Amino acid sequence: MADTRQRAGGATSAARPAGPEVEVEDRRPRRTWSRERLLQLGFLVPAVVYMLLFFGYPVVQNALMGFQEYTTRTFVTGEAPWVGLENYREVIGSSVFSKAALNTVLFTVGSIAGQFVLGLAIALFFRKRFPLGGLLRSLLLLPWLIPLIAASAVWRWILDKDTGVLNQVLGGLGITDSNPGWLTSTSLALVTVIAINIWIGIPFNTTILYGGLQDIPEDLYEAAALDGATRWRAFRYVTWPLLRPVVTVVLVLGVVYTLKALDIILGLTEGGPANSTQTIATQSYNLSFQQFDFGQGAAAGNILIVVSLVFAVLYLRANRRALDE
Amino acid sequence: MAQRGAKNRTVGAAVLALTAPLALAACGGGDSDGAGGSDGEVTSLTVQDTFVTEPGASYYGELLDACGQENGVTIERNSVPGGDIIARTLQQASSQTLPDILSIDNPDVGQLAAAGALAPLGELGVSAEGISQGVVDANTFEDELYGLQPTTQSLALFYNEDLLAEAGIQPPTTWEELETAAAALTQGDRYGIAFSAPPTYEGTWQFLPFMWSNGGDETDIATPETAEALQLWVDLVSSGSTSESVLNWGQEDVNDQFIAGNAAMMINGPWQFPVLAENPDVTYQVAPLPAPEAGGTVVAPLGGATWTVPETGDDARKAKAAAVVECVNSDENMVDNALTNSSVPTKAELGEQVVAEDPRMQAFVDVVPDLRSRTAKLQDEWPTAATAIYTAVQTALTGGASPEEALEQAQNG
């Protein structure tokens, strides 16, 4: 044993330049393994710490808050009595909740469907080369670049029942003379908010889907064309299958983003009229930052997190399947 | 897909949720150095307020500097928008970095006092002598005074002089007159009246003078008195005397409509004077809000920012802070403040001085003795009632339920 150590020591100090792998072959693999391992850990630790601190901690804290009576008082005294499921009972039992839950589903499904279909259509359109195509495609990003609060102020002005541009145009064209209350009618407000959210989401969908389309080799289409597959059939049998992984990403990320959409609704209607655009996200915001009931706000938020989590798992599974393929 | 902006706000929320307990944990042990207080010389005080727009921003900057100088301290001032100040203050409370002086909207006093973030002013030798009872109530929590409020603001009826003169209509003084006048003034694209009824505390604030003047009460909103007041609003909308858009209008939007000539009258407050002054073509007058019956009393809610001393645990600093707050609330400064910021001194006896300089303030000065605090009865439970009130207003105005049913539903949550 001592002999080996000596030999190894001698190897590292004196015989290294000559080629240590011959002399210390019994120890070498384990040592490099551990050094490599340390190096790996060294790279991993900052990321893990970062994740735990900035992703894990808030989520855990939010989960805990949902079970606590967490009010303004808590910020001063640090006391947040444990109340079990009371916050959830209050949030789910409130008369707004069923409406907010339904609105969340309609808002998410409506927005995603609209954004995806229009986004894909536009992405396909821009695959064709035509003059100013690049410029137009970059202009399409505009809704994405405008701060949402500014965008919603402009939309409110456009959609105003009496003086808004939209109703004036519609009236001028003789399409309607009754000035629909786009944001003030309980039957129209949610549809309007979804439509504006579609407008906001199109750039994201178009950009990602366009990127996906670029990755599909041109010769596949040529081969398909030789086989007689053009237009719809080319889309159905070439584009769509190859775009599938990108579609999954777009849809899942879209769902997660849309579920928690907050400022567009606050900017347009603040959840009104009469809660017709209230979602679980706006309800959570109201509870936490208007009524200062952070416990109930967290409970509402946690419900959203769980739903998002389901979609995140779907996303990861879909991703893995795509990799396996 | 509202990812970018939504993320900002949720990040803000997450950061608040995140930092609070972190700070609570981190500073749990640091309590001891605050409790006794540093008895050293206090040379500077930190002030946090919500005066981010002119004329208030410059006015309070100068006033605070002058009051600091009077008390031998320099002032480090930090102004944040009104919507953010409570969240900001709560963060500071949890990290024990509260400012020495804090100015907030008066209905927030109850919340912060209940949380234990504010120091009772009585213990610091500050009294609210001479200040109107409603204002004192608004700044009191569980029989302790927590805020000193120099000026107050409330709501009144603004009317377009030319339009009323053209139609030969006198400014309405009762609800009945209001309905007739609003109907008569509604012509073409113009509505008779505009007010603000969004699903926020702003909507509640605008409805309160109608509810209270008719004998309604926030402790029980499902009463015939409150329903009657709500019926008036419903009638104004359903008769077309006002736009359905009131459901979505903030008070600034209402002012814009009035300036654009889309409304002949509006319910608004003196904080709109500076904006109205930028549009000299609009000739307007201000009248008290109409009462339910002739000769009835109008009970309007009491607005305005108040000055508090947060519980920093440092007695020497709190004493200095209290002195500066008293200086901000001196009689002389109250009158200056009122004239600069289009508001009314909270001491009734000073009202005349303001009206002498600015006759438009008469309608607001008149109501000050009857102004009612939003939080006097419910204290820190007020946000729940305020939410129920705007919910009921929205339900009734959209025709979702009759006023009685809407109020009943909203009250039961």
Side-chain angles (χ1 to χ4, degrees):
Chain A
M1 195 67 196
D3 188 41
T4 349
R5 199 183 297 153
Q6 235 172 20
R7 239 176 38 169
T12 43
S13 57
R16 177 171 257 174
E21 58 266 52
V22 188
E23 287 186 32
V24 291
E25 56 190 331
D26 57 326
R27 297 185 62 93
R28 169 85 187 184
R30 208 185 312 158
R31 212 179 58 185
T32 43
W33 181 82
S34 70
R35 184 188 278 175
E36 211 166 84
R37 187 76 183 161
L38 273 179
L39 211 64
Q40 283 174 347
L41 276 178
F43 277 113
L44 211 59
V45 163
V48 169
V49 168
Y50 176 81
M51 291 283 286
L52 286 180
L53 203 61
F54 292 100
F55 291 92
Y57 181 76
V59 170
V60 171
Q61 186 59 37
N62 209 59
L64 289 178
M65 255 167 103
F67 297 109
Q68 289 172 318
E69 190 185 319
Y70 205 108
T71 60
T72 47
R73 200 178 172 75
T74 312
F75 285 86
V76 180
T77 59
E79 290 162 19
W82 192 262
V83 292
L85 289 171
E86 186 57 33
N87 288 330
Y88 287 90
R89 236 179 317 233
E90 289 271 336
V91 169
I92 295 172
S94 76
S95 58
V96 198
F97 185 78
S98 54
K99 181 147 210 170
L102 178 65
N103 285 346
T104 308
V105 172
L106 293 175
F107 178 76
T108 308
V109 172
S111 298
I112 294 297
Q115 288 169 6
F116 180 75
V117 170
L118 290 174
L120 182 59
I122 294 171
L124 287 169
F125 176 70
F126 277 108
R127 276 207 93 190
K128 299 206 174 82
R129 304 203 178 281
F130 53 90
L132 295 181
L135 178 74
L136 284 175
R137 198 158 47 82
S138 43
L139 279 179
L140 209 70
L141 287 175
L142 220 55
W144 214 5
L145 303 178
I146 304 172
L148 271 181
I149 287 299
S152 53
V154 173
W155 276 110
R156 277 185 55 181
W157 172 73
I158 293 173
L159 297 168
D160 187 273
K161 183 178 178 342
D162 306 299
T163 54
V165 176
L166 181 63
N167 278 350
Q168 298 206 346
V169 169
L170 289 179
L173 293 174
I175 293 169
T176 167
D177 47 24
S178 59
N179 282 358
W182 298 107
L183 293 171
T184 54
S185 143
T186 45
S187 51
L188 276 178
L190 186 63
V191 178
T192 310
V193 173
I194 291 173
I196 293 168
N197 198 40
I198 291 174
W199 171 78
I200 293 165
I202 284 176
F204 173 78
N205 282 261
T206 304
T207 310
I208 308 271
L209 291 172
Y210 183 79
L213 288 175
Q214 295 297 92
D215 283 345
I216 302 177
E218 200 56 43
D219 39 356
L220 282 181
Y221 288 101
E222 283 163 18
L226 286 177
D227 290 341
T230 49
R231 291 174 174 273
W232 167 247
R233 292 176 67 85
F235 175 80
R236 171 72 186 79
Y237 294 105
V238 180
T239 314
W240 185 250
L242 288 169
L243 202 59
R244 270 264 305 280
V246 181
V247 169
T248 321
V249 174
V250 166
L251 288 182
V252 174
L253 289 183
V255 168
V256 173
Y257 287 142
T258 311
L259 274 176
K260 66 184 177 63
L262 182 67
D263 42 7
I264 187 65
I265 300 178
L266 290 184
L268 287 170
T269 61
E270 314 211 53
N275 289 328
S276 57
T277 56
Q278 194 82 256
T279 63
I280 298 178
T282 58
Q283 200 194 357
S284 171
Y285 172 81
N286 272 338
L287 285 167
S288 290
F289 297 102
Q290 302 297 125
Q291 301 189 43
F292 305 119
D293 197 327
F294 296 93
Q296 284 192 28
N302 286 336
I303 295 173
L304 278 185
I305 291 179
V306 169
V307 178
S308 293
L309 215 60
V310 171
F311 281 93
V313 169
L314 285 179
Y315 166 66
L316 288 176
R317 286 191 53 175
N319 242 8
R320 207 175 52 201
R321 207 174 52 208
L323 277 180
D324 291 346
E325 280 167 10
Chain B
M1 172 160 328
Q3 57 272 44
R4 286 178 334 100
K7 205 184 274 174
N8 283 344
R9 209 182 286 243
T10 32
V11 163
V15 165
L16 178 64
L18 170 67
T19 47
L22 259 187
L24 285 178
C27 302
D31 224 13
S32 51
D33 64 55
S38 59
D39 292 321
E41 190 81 13
V42 180
T43 53
S44 74
L45 291 176
T46 52
V47 176
Q48 184 161 286
D49 62 42
T50 56
F51 303 105
V52 289
T53 55
E54 296 300 343
S58 316
Y59 172 78
Y60 281 103
E62 285 164 28
L63 175 64
L64 285 164
D65 283 343
C67 282
Q69 205 162 19
E70 203 170 283
N71 289 285
V73 288
T74 52
I75 300 288
E76 288 163 32
R77 178 170 173 238
N78 174 27
S79 301
V80 292
D84 300 338
I85 196 155
I86 297 300
R88 170 79 63 97
T89 305
L90 290 173
Q91 274 175 312
Q92 290 166 332
S94 63
S95 59
Q96 312 230 331
T97 52
L98 281 166
D100 295 305
I101 298 171
L102 173 70
S103 172
I104 45 173
D105 197 15
N106 73 68
D108 293 331
V109 169
Q111 281 295 324
L112 290 184
L118 301 180
L121 292 180
E123 286 174 13
L124 300 168
V126 177
S127 87
E129 211 184 324
I131 290 181
S132 295
Q133 192 55 46
V135 182
V136 176
D137 290 345
N139 287 284
T140 302
F141 176 74
E142 290 180 349
D143 298 328
E144 294 268 18
L145 181 74
Y146 284 94
L148 216 49
Q149 185 177 338
T151 64
T152 177
Q153 299 179 317
S154 193
L155 293 164
L157 183 77
F158 288 59
Y159 61 93
N160 187 312
E161 250 184 312
D162 297 343
L163 294 176
L164 264 74
E166 243 171 61
I169 289 171
Q170 291 297 311
T173 58
T174 65
W175 286 5
E176 211 183 321
E177 286 176 24
L178 176 69
E179 286 196 80
T180 347
L185 288 162
T186 303
Q187 270 168 30
D189 288 342
R190 188 187 72 210
Y191 289 103
I193 187 163
F195 52 86
S196 165
T200 61
Y201 295 155
E202 207 166 348
T204 304
W205 152 262
Q206 285 244 333
F207 182 64
L208 285 176
F210 295 91
M211 173 174 134
W212 281 341
S213 301
N214 204 39
D217 194 277
E218 63 273 27
T219 53
D220 176 15
I221 59 169
T223 60
E225 289 82 7
T226 306
E228 215 173 44
L230 188 46
Q231 187 66 51
L232 171 76
W233 273 27
V234 171
D235 290 346
L236 286 172
V237 172
S238 61
S239 67
S241 297
T242 192
S243 172
E244 223 177 74
S245 300
V246 296
L247 288 160
N248 202 15
W249 277 344
Q251 296 182 112
E252 277 169 45
D253 301 309
V254 168
N255 196 42
D256 289 344
Q257 296 292 328
F258 183 76
I259 289 170
N262 296 329
M265 302 184 284
M266 69 165 173
I267 291 162
N268 226 321
W271 52 91
Q272 305 293 4
F273 286 165
V275 188
L276 285 160
E278 289 166 15
N279 297 274
D281 299 349
V282 184
T283 51
Y284 68 96
Q285 288 290 327
V286 186
L289 287 176
E293 304 282 339
T297 314
V298 174
V299 187
L302 180 148
T306 189
W307 293 84
T308 65
V309 177
E311 188 55 83
T312 51
D314 186 325
D315 293 336
R317 296 185 78 90
K318 284 196 294 182
K320 266 294 186 234
V324 172
V325 166
E326 274 190 309
C327 165
V328 168
N329 283 274
S330 74
D331 286 7
E332 192 192 333
N333 287 335
M334 262 190 199
V335 175
D336 270 358
N337 190 336
L339 285 169
T340 315
N341 297 305
S342 309
S343 50
V344 184
T346 50
K347 289 186 178 168
E349 67 201 45
L350 302 174
E352 280 168 33
Q353 291 182 44
V354 172
V355 175
E357 299 252 353
D358 187 351
R360 293 176 304 181
M361 296 308 295
Q362 186 71 56
F364 300 100
V365 169
D366 287 347
V367 294
V368 164
D370 296 310
L371 283 187
R372 181 160 154 183
S373 148
R374 279 164 277 179
T375 48
K377 289 197 177 177
L378 293 173
Q379 306 253 306
D380 54 328
E381 295 296 316
W382 165 246
T384 313
T387 306
I389 292 172
Y390 73 62
T391 307
V393 168
Q394 287 252 318
T395 309
L397 289 188
T398 51
S402 71
E404 290 83 2
E405 285 165 2
L407 288 161
E408 183 92 41
Q409 282 170 19
Q411 173 133 301
N412 297 332

